[in-house]
């Protein structure tokens, strides 16, 4: 496995890999790898000749009061995990390599962003789309793997790929969880012991909500209120949002029908956690 810092070198490598007839599976990450990332890497390994990942905490997708500086980073640990998982190349650029000057163009995501994280993190998905446009041109993958834990991101990236005719296949991957149901996240290390004990309640409340809908509940406000009440009663977190939409359109629905998502974001003092459940009814 090689760690590459320069865009030019990485592009040269991916060009040569493709010329030699290799298919490339790509996993974009912000590092501090966990089993969620490793599942994406495994998927990429099973379906491609070569696996490349990027580790880049992208300043463009963080708001001024968010955790860009505090985001956990540990490249040595990541290198070991990636090597053991069979990654061929890690692209690990400095911020100055990716953004040596102010960009003269930025992607402005226009659909599916007035809800969920797009609403509470202004400009976040513009930053995600812009960095991915750069990364796709550097990594030149056949397939790119994204986790459904970030379901809105999957929907937005699908739009970017289609809008700009990027020759890459988006592969969504199921959410990987701890044994108690908490979605794996690099940010989980910032939970206190007490918060960590409370955090599985997020997924439990989503499961209960989906069960109520399967059992015939049609009133989605009632379902949302039950989730909000459970989180408020059983955790010390502050709810950012609990919403139910159609998926992947992320449009409001009057009653459960077709594929839907129940999504939430809850803020603990040092970690904002997101989770969701999608299902068809
Ligand atoms: P991140 O490093 O948090 O930006 O995540 C990189 C990729 O891994 C994104 O596509 C995430 O959706 C995905 N990912 C993060 N956590 C999980 C998880 N628990 N299960 C599945 N995929 C995940």
């Amino acid at each position: 496995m090689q760690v590459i810092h320069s865009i030019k070198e990485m592009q040269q490598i991916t060009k040569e890999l493709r010329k030699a007839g290799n298919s490339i599976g790509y996993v974009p990450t912000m590092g501090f790898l966990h089993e969620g990332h490793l599942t994406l890497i495994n998927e990429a390994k099973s379906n491609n000749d070569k696996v490349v990942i990027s580790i880049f905490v992208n300043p463009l997708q963080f708001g001024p009061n968010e955790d860009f500086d505090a985001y956990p980073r540990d490249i040595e640990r990541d290198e070991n995990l990636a090597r053991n998982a069979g990654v061929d190349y890690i692209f690990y650029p400095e911020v100055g390599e990716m953004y040596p000057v102010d960009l003269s163009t930025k992607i402005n995501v226009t659909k599916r962003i007035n809800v969920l994280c797009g609403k509470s993190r202004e400009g976040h998905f513009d930053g995600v789309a812009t960095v991915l446009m750069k990364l796709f041109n550097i990594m030149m993958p056949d397939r790119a793997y994204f986790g459904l834990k970030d379901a809105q991101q999957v929907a937005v990236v699908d739009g970017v790929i289609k809008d700009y005719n990027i020759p890459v296949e988006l592969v969504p991957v199921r959410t990987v969880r701890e044994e108690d149901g908490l979605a794996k996240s690099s940010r989980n290390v910032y939970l206190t012991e007490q918060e960590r004990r409370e955090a599985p309640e997020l997924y439990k409340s989503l499961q209960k909500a989906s069960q109520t809908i399967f059992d015939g509940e049609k009133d989605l406000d009632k379902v949302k209120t039950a989730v909000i009440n459970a989180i408020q009663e059983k955790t010390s977190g502050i709810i950012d949002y609990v919403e139910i939409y159609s998926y992947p359109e992320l449009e409001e629905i009057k009653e459960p029908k077709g594929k839907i998502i129940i999504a939430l974001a809850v803020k603990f003092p040092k970690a904002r956690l997101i989770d969701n459940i999608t299902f068809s009814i």
Side-chain angles (χ1 to χ4, degrees), residues 27-40 54-56 61 71 145-151 153-154 171 173-178 182-188 274:
V27 182
T29 84
M30 298 204 297
F32 214 70
L33 303 181
H34 52 69
E35 241 178 84
H37 301 112
L38 298 179
T39 303
L40 269 58
S54 54
I55 296 181
F56 181 60
Q61 69 191 67
Y71 197 85
Y145 295 79
F146 289 85
L148 281 167
K149 178 177 159 265
D150 300 280
Q153 175 168 275
V154 170
V171 185
V173 178
R174 72 181 171 84
T175 301
V176 180
R177 301 181 177 282
E178 304 286 352
L182 174 64
K184 300 235 181 198
S185 165
S186 306
R187 290 184 169 101
N188 289 351
I274 59 170

Side-chain angles (χ1 to χ4, degrees), residues 135-168:
L135 288 167
F136 285 149
N137 283 324
I138 297 166
M139 312 306 268
M140 295 182 249
D142 295 274
R143 297 180 191 85
Y145 295 79
F146 289 85
L148 281 167
K149 178 177 159 265
D150 300 280
Q152 186 172 20
Q153 175 168 275
V154 170
V156 167
V157 173
D158 183 53
V160 175
I161 288 175
K162 287 184 177 141
D163 285 353
Y164 293 93
N165 308 103
I166 302 171
V168 58

Side-chain angles (χ1 to χ4, degrees), residues 106-115 118-119 122-130 152 155-164 248-251:
K106 279 185 191 160
I107 308 276
N108 181 217
V109 181
T110 48
K111 273 194 188 156
R112 309 185 184 105
I113 44 143
N114 296 325
V115 295
K119 189 173 170 192
E122 207 196 322
H124 169 70
F125 286 113
D126 290 353
V128 169
T130 302
Q152 186 172 20
V156 167
V157 173
D158 183 53
V160 175
I161 288 175
K162 287 184 177 141
D163 285 353
Y164 293 93
E249 300 82 6
L250 298 180
E251 283 164 3

